[in-house]
Amino acid sequence: MKLKLKPQFKKFLIAACLGILALNIAVGIKYITNQQPVEAYKYIEKHEALESSEYTISEEMVMSKLKARSQIVSLEQSIAKKDVNVDKGLLGERHTELTLKGKYKIGLETKNIKVRDIDSDNGAIYVQLPDPTLISLDIPLDQVSFDKTSGWLRMALDENEEKKFFKAAKKNVELELMKDEEVISQANLNNQRVVEEILRLIPQIKTVVFE
């Protein structure tokens, strides 16, 4: 036996079903609409934070790059010097001439570099360099000679006297180098050039100012 529904009841059921379907669609749209801005906000916030840190210059970043090497050698040249030792004795004066040849290196210790200021907005860094220092003075023994030029009645320098003379002569060369204004001026310019080249390896740094 078939159940017959009245036309009014059929219309009521159809209307109720359509209402429930419309409600479900509205809830789904509201859920999607509410979710999308949150996800977008999180993405933008993370992206902007990444860009901000990427373009920030820190002192730690700078010193890490500089201290990758403990010393910077900016000037390396050959050197040839002569020195004279005069020794008085009972048999008269003895003059001994020392001739030496070698190479010296001048630069700086990176630990003594100071960062004075950082302008991250413009990519500028202000740096103070220490005075140039003598990194090394290499004088091979086969490039050292002793020649007695006067005092024929005297014996030539013995081994201990030669070592003492050489040590004193080498010390004089070191002092002369560090007092040579032309050498120090050139070393200063070279130090700045080398440090600037190192710092410019950091993409954020566009300008290096030496104080």
Side-chain angles (χ1 to χ4, degrees), residues 16-103:
C17 290
L18 289 175
I20 292 171
L21 179 62
L23 181 61
N24 287 336
I25 292 173
V27 170
I29 292 174
K30 183 177 181 182
Y31 175 79
I32 294 172
T33 305
N34 287 339
Q35 288 295 318
Q36 283 182 337
V38 174
E39 293 300 321
Y41 171 75
K42 287 182 179 178
Y43 171 76
I44 292 171
E45 184 180 43
K46 182 178 179 181
H47 182 65
E48 288 179 349
L50 211 68
E51 285 188 344
S52 176
S53 64
E54 183 181 355
Y55 288 96
T56 299
I57 306 170
S58 67
E59 184 174 350
E60 291 75 16
M61 177 196 302
V62 173
M63 294 310 299
S64 175
K65 178 66 70 174
L66 291 172
K67 289 183 178 181
R69 58 181 87 176
S70 60
Q71 296 176 326
I72 292 176
V73 176
S74 59
L75 184 62
E76 181 176 357
Q77 291 185 352
S78 299
I79 189 171
K81 289 286 185 179
K82 289 186 177 181
D83 202 348
V84 176
N85 172 267
V86 179
D87 176 59
K88 295 181 179 181
L90 295 176
L91 299 178
E93 291 185 348
R94 177 184 60 191
H95 292 212
T96 304
E97 184 178 85
L98 177 149
T99 303
L100 57 82
K101 295 179 181 179
K103 290 184 178 181

Side-chain angles (χ1 to χ4, degrees), residues 149-177:
T149 57
S150 67
W152 304 113
L153 298 177
R154 301 279 305 278
M155 296 289 291
L157 296 178
D158 60 29
E159 185 177 351
N160 287 333
E161 289 174 321
E162 286 183 349
K163 287 181 178 179
K164 185 178 179 180
F165 185 16
F166 171 70
K167 184 177 179 180
K170 185 178 180 181
K171 186 64 177 179
N172 287 337
V173 171
E174 293 174 355
L175 294 174
E176 288 175 7
L177 280 173

Side-chain angles (χ1 to χ4, degrees), residues 57-60 62 115-121 124-126:
I57 306 170
S58 67
E59 184 174 350
E60 291 75 16
V62 173
V115 177
R116 289 302 187 187
D117 194 14
I118 295 175
D119 181 357
S120 293
D121 293 337
I125 183 168
Y126 297 80

